[in-house]
Amino acid sequence: MAVTVDIDRVTCPLPIADYPHVLLGHGSGGKLTAELIQRVFLPAWENDTVAALEDQAICDWSAPVVGVKGHQGLRLAFTTDSFVVRPLFFPGGDIGKLAVHGTINDLAVGGAIPQYLSAAFILEEGLPMADLRRIVESMRQACDEAHVELVTGDTKVVDRGKGDGVFITTSGIGLVPGERRLSIHSAQPGDRVLISGTIGDHGVAIMSVREGIEFETTLASDTAPLSGLTEAMLACCPAIRCMRDPTRGGVASTLNELAAGSGVGVRLNESAIPIRDEVRAACELLGLDPLYVANEGKLVAVVPRADADKLLQAMHAHPLGRNAADVGEVVADHVGLVVLNTLVGGQRVVAMLSGEQLPRIC
Amino acid sequence: MAVTVDIDRVTCPLPIADYPHVLLGHGSGGKLTAELIQRVFLPAWENDTVAALEDQAICDWSAPVVGVKGHQGLRLAFTTDSFVVRPLFFPGGDIGKLAVHGTINDLAVGGAIPQYLSAAFILEEGLPMADLRRIVESMRQACDEAHVELVTGDTKVVDRGKGDGVFITTSGIGLVPGERRLSIHSAQPGDRVLISGTIGDHGVAIMSVREGIEFETTLASDTAPLSGLTEAMLACCPAIRCMRDPTRGGVASTLNELAAGSGVGVRLNESAIPIRDEVRAACELLGLDPLYVANEGKLVAVVPRADADKLLQAMHAHPLGRNAADVGEVVADHVGLVVLNTLVGGQRVVAMLSGEQLPRIC
């Protein structure tokens, strides 16, 4: 059955109107962020690595460097992320833990083995020193757990009212074993789409704190380092096409990027998508679609059909993949579109996030 | 002649009082920043690389990584810096140019050859898009000029009143040729202290804009990428002990770090220190000591006495070292102290910057 939508309207990340000012939505991870990247950043940095639009740069050293040996052929992954989440502390984590996990995960989903992190702090004058200590201690624990080393940092302080407590920017370096070539451009019709666990936990945990919503059980962020899971997955199935951690913009935006990047369609089965009851209930209460809600310890993987069952078993065997599920497939139809087979038997297009539904979620 | 001061008071970076809140001075690059690092950050990250307190981490890969070849023995430099300068645009540069140069320079003074940069933007809602475009274009130019590649980035947006236009965090990766071992711990009595050019230009350029001071000639920031100069210097004189770019906290704070790090004294000759007349005049007007004012395109080098003249000649031959000068020596006396032979024939101790005289200078 054909889905009749204006594909150009849905997939084109460039609305005609130019924005004279930065909007909150430009940080959403959705359509407006894509537009900002396409219109402002990419024209300035036209190199193959940036243009690949992955969450991490894979630097292939091929040119000789005087006096340096051994780097040629080495494949280094490099990534950076700023964290501006509010509140600073939330069930299941804090801004520091998030900053460490987020950068580890951007390396891991690129097939890299995380090695070194940096952390740059922008503190607002008046931040309680106890809060900073708590955040730093949390980052240390997160580094230790993931076996990465924080090796360099920076601190700046801005005057009261010109920041918001603390912003943290982490960057990370990882090593990519030579044979790995994961790419958002490599999905093929017939591939299966797997999700490593329940979706929406992080975003809803943050929102429930902000909105003061209480549930019988505590909703906690899923923030976690995915490098152990990705290594287990790649050991089991080196043919994984690509992995992504669906943070800002959620699973919907990630799969839209995949559909556009690989020139394919994606078909999701709503009934297969793992969602906690509390998350579903909170989303209904708040008017959110869980497909757009941020995750901080989950990944989406695209894998050849023949490997899907084996990979799913490997994921189930890992603590962070216990609830992994096969949620859909890559199709040759409706190129650039993600279409959901709904619970009630209908179909709907799941577009990229427009505007901003959950500002400052990470 | 002995200088009688309470050395413990001057060199100890830890005042007894604990601060319950973050102060502007904690971002000064002086004593309070050192205290924050010593008391809050170092206890959490006790590893040799962080504890070296260099402006860049040199990651020596020795452990094997499964599936990766060639990294063992490779020496990678890694650094990060956040930039929160006000105003965003100033004579001689802007926040973008500063962010690119600052990270290149932190790599270069460690003896690394800069390779790759990342840039993470924290934008305030309402920032004029034209300003962002101008900043991004300026960063591109700065990368091109220095032959580094910006390969990855991130954008977050915070609500109006929770940021200040734009903050930029750049991180950088460089390669360190195997034989180079520059370290702030390696200065030895008898070594000479060289400065690559006039001091205080950046800080005074920023302050003159903020305070609306005008001079007959335009005072411009000295922001510049130092990697060309450092390579020329190291080619001429591989025995350079250490180099530093004296940014926040100025030459005074850099030399205090050196004195403490190497367990030596430093003796400076005021008459030898190159300062522009306009900078000197502005400092008098504003009540600033140029030794504490930030530079963004200058470096301090410590070099064995036998190599000093040769190195100075090599510096003079480079556009960014035309005004280089031999400004003092490393001594065995007054360990941990920087002492200035003043123009009028006296001596005074140049302590580390206390408090914050020029907030948000970079």
Side-chain angles (χ1 to χ4, degrees), chain A residues 87 203-214 282 285-286 288 357-359:
Chain A
V204 168
I206 297 281
M207 288 306 285
S208 64
V209 180
R210 283 198 208 154
E211 307 288 333
I213 303 168
E214 287 185 19
L285 203 63
L286 297 165
L288 300 174
Q357 60 174 2
L358 299 170

Side-chain angles (χ1 to χ4, degrees), chain A residues 20-37:
Chain A
H21 295 95
V22 170
L23 308 177
L24 265 182
H26 284 116
S28 65
K31 230 172 186 173
L32 283 173
T33 304
E35 184 193 313
L36 190 70
I37 292 170

Side-chain angles (χ1 to χ4, degrees), chain B residues 20 92 113 255 321 350:
Chain B
I113 303 167
L255 290 177
V350 179

Side-chain angles (χ1 to χ4, degrees), chain A residues 9 43 48 57 68 97 127 190 194 224 240-241 255 359:
Chain A
R9 195 184 59 76
D48 295 344
V68 177
K97 204 167 163 181
L127 173 76
L194 311 185
I240 293 172
R241 311 274 194 208
L255 290 178

Side-chain angles (χ1 to χ4, degrees), chain B residues 165-183:
Chain B
V166 51
F167 302 144
I168 303 177
T169 303
T170 43
S171 301
I173 296 177
L175 287 170
V176 190
E179 72 281 6
R180 294 185 186 166
R181 293 282 186 281
L182 284 81
S183 161

Side-chain angles (χ1 to χ4, degrees), chain A residues 184-187 189 257-265 330-337:
Chain A
I184 201 158
H185 304 286
S186 65
E257 287 175 22
L258 177 83
S262 292
V264 297
V330 175
V331 296
D333 294 343
H334 53 76
V335 168
L337 281 191

